[in-house]
Amino acid sequence: MADLDLDVSAPLGGGVWRFPADRPLVLDSGAKISGLEVAYQTYGSLNEDGTNAVLICHALTGDQYVASTHPATGKPGWWTRLVGPGRPIDPARHFVICSNVIGGCMGSTGPASTNPATGEAFGLSFPMITIADMVRAQAMLIDALGVDTLLAVVGGSMGGMQVQQWAVDYPQKLFSAVVVASTSRHSAQNIAFHEVGRQAIMADPEWRGGAYAAQGARPEKGLAVARMAAHITYVSEPALQRKFGRELQRDGLSWGFDADFQVESYLRHQGAAFVDRFDANSYLYITRAMDYFDLAAPHGGVLANAFKAARDVRFCVLSFTSDWLYPTSESRHIVRALTAAGCRAAFAEIDSDKGHDAFLLDEPVMDAALTGFMASVERERGIGR
């Protein structure tokens, strides 16, 4: 794909960047978003050669606050394990960029944004989006930040989908790609779990056909259930057993439907906390984008064909033994396709019983793998450590 030519310049540090109305984001569906807004954070600075930029892509419920305090929750950034001083991705060496995906609810244009035609939230009038659309918006931001090429694009889960899309659509703009706990397309089981969550939201009377914002309502119960169902897929059975087992909340049973078991209380807490920081319609749109994702489909159904344009990109693919949402077999499929396409790919399966969420947790082997890979690409790129 050709480089974008945008006569705009986004400020460093972060904020929300609004692109001119005459430079709309053209979506895969054929729809256009004029006046596109992209919320982002940056850490560090671009070196003189412009060779040290690293783009971080977030997962389904993530956002741009990868390494800084979240303004809504007050919690630390979601990937401070890997991004920060002395970490594999270090602002002292790297110009780190992370943006909220389009369709999100932390400042980038999404269903909760104001529709200029009505003066109210888009709701379901917001166009359908894809992973490729998310990446297209990120490419516009990268150009606005004055970055010609990226040292690395890094992401886990849905972020890993974006990383692969970057390699396919913009191979000339990136030097390396790190795909963690991800897949090249959703399985029937993945789609099924997402559909349960979407139906929970849409069954909530307060969803109001997606127009809840205009009517001063919030489908909190449906969104909480969606989060609870999804969260089960993020953890492994051994992790749940180790943490909760069949431990009760109190002495004795309630002989009712209160949260008797600690695991029930845990899931209810996860659901309740989630509704305070996420928009229900964004959840619908982003999960749909993930379900639509099939990197091989436009290339005759052959994943290796998709990666042929990325032969000059260095890849690192990481998986976890207990991840049953995106199991290691999915990562091996990606690596085999990369090898068949003639790409350079390093792969590691990390032994962990923490499930899919391991990519967000304390995993020293993952830290070491990413540290080694980043050191390698920095040497190849001529960046001193």
Side-chain angles (χ1 to χ4, degrees), residues 21 23-27 31-37 102 109 126-127 129:
R23 300 282 190 161
L25 174 65
V26 181
L27 306 177
K32 297 179 180 180
I33 298 178
S34 296
L36 171 71
E37 294 184 336
I102 59 164
T109 303
F126 190 71
I129 55 172

Side-chain angles (χ1 to χ4, degrees), residues 143-158:
D143 281 354
L145 288 167
V147 175
D148 293 325
T149 61
L150 293 160
L151 173 66
V153 183
V154 184
S157 194
M158 186 186 82

Side-chain angles (χ1 to χ4, degrees), residues 9-14 40-56 66 83 88-98 141-154 374 378 383:
S9 180
L12 302 183
Y40 67 99
Q41 292 285 301
T42 67
Y43 312 85
S45 57
L46 193 65
N47 62 14
E48 286 188 9
D49 296 332
T51 57
N52 69 331
V54 177
L55 175 68
I56 308 293
V66 60
V83 182
I89 300 170
D90 189 338
R93 299 193 314 275
H94 306 124
F95 177 45
V96 186
I97 308 158
C98 186
L141 175 67
I142 293 304
D143 281 354
L145 288 167
V147 175
D148 293 325
T149 61
L150 293 160
L151 173 66
V153 183
V154 184
M374 291 302 297
E378 286 174 46
I383 300 172

Side-chain angles (χ1 to χ4, degrees), residues 7 9 11 21 30 35 50 104 117 144 165 180 204 233 248 251 273 303 315-316:
D7 185 20
S9 180
Q165 194 74 58
V180 186
D204 189 324
T233 71
L248 298 176
D251 292 336
L303 188 57
F315 289 86
C316 175

Side-chain angles (χ1 to χ4, degrees), residues 14-332:
V16 178
W17 185 248
R18 190 175 192 275
F19 290 89
D22 62 351
R23 300 282 190 161
L25 174 65
V26 181
L27 306 177
D28 283 347
S29 67
K32 297 179 180 180
I33 298 178
S34 296
L36 171 71
E37 294 184 336
V38 180
Y40 67 99
Q41 292 285 301
T42 67
Y43 312 85
S45 57
L46 193 65
N47 62 14
E48 286 188 9
D49 296 332
T51 57
N52 69 331
V54 177
L55 175 68
I56 308 293
C57 301
H58 70 73
L60 166 58
T61 62
D63 49 48
Q64 65 271 36
Y65 297 102
V66 60
S68 50
T69 302
H70 196 285
T73 66
K75 293 182 178 180
W78 54 266
W79 225 4
T80 53
R81 286 290 316 163
L82 297 179
V83 182
R87 302 299 188 186
I89 300 170
D90 189 338
R93 299 193 314 275
H94 306 124
F95 177 45
V96 186
I97 308 158
C98 186
S99 66
N100 186 212
V101 297
I102 59 164
C105 52
M106 283 303 296
S108 292
T109 303
S113 302
T114 301
N115 183 346
T118 65
E120 297 180 340
F122 276 103
L124 294 195
S125 67
F126 190 71
M128 297 303 295
I129 55 172
T130 66
I131 298 296
D133 294 331
M134 297 175 185
V135 167
R136 202 170 292 121
Q138 290 166 354
M140 292 172 68
L141 175 67
I142 293 304
D143 281 354
L145 288 167
V147 175
D148 293 325
T149 61
L150 293 160
L151 173 66
V153 183
V154 184
S157 194
M158 186 186 82
M161 296 179 183
Q162 296 165 62
V163 171
Q164 295 172 75
Q165 194 74 58
W166 262 97
V168 170
D169 289 352
Y170 299 99
Q172 77 284 0
K173 295 182 77 71
L174 68 156
F175 191 76
S176 68
V178 181
V179 180
V180 186
S182 194
T183 182
S184 62
R185 68 173 184 175
H186 260 185
S187 67
Q189 179 175 263
N190 296 147
I191 296 169
F193 272 111
H194 275 173
E195 178 62 3
V196 169
R198 288 191 292 263
Q199 288 299 317
I201 291 169
M202 293 187 285
D204 189 324
E206 296 303 298
W207 183 61
R208 308 207 181 170
Y212 53 87
Q215 299 177 31
R218 292 180 68 194
E220 294 182 353
K221 292 181 180 178
L223 181 58
V225 171
R227 174 63 170 179
M228 290 168 66
H231 194 78
I232 295 169
T233 71
Y234 303 153
V235 294
S236 67
E237 195 280 333
L240 282 176
Q241 186 64 29
R242 181 181 66 250
K243 189 170 184 179
F244 303 108
R246 289 180 54 84
E247 294 299 314
L248 298 176
Q249 278 289 94
R250 62 189 71 81
D251 292 336
L253 302 174
S254 70
W255 301 107
F257 296 103
D258 290 338
D260 280 348
F261 296 95
Q262 289 184 8
V263 68
E264 294 174 321
S265 179
Y266 168 73
L267 287 175
R268 292 185 187 190
H269 170 74
Q270 289 291 327
F274 186 60
V275 302
D276 291 333
R277 69 174 181 88
F278 214 82
D279 175 65
N281 282 337
S282 282
Y283 194 88
L284 299 179
Y285 276 83
I286 296 174
T287 58
R288 197 45 143 180
M290 295 173 72
D291 291 345
Y292 281 170
F293 182 66
D294 184 349
L295 200 62
H299 302 274
V302 180
L303 188 57
N305 290 344
F307 288 126
K308 282 183 177 178
R311 288 193 180 102
D312 293 333
V313 179
R314 293 110 176 112
F315 289 86
C316 175
V317 181
L318 303 175
S319 70
F320 299 93
T321 54
S322 60
D323 185 352
W324 60 277
L325 182 65
Y326 300 141
T328 293
S329 58
E330 298 288 340
S331 292
R332 291 189 187 279

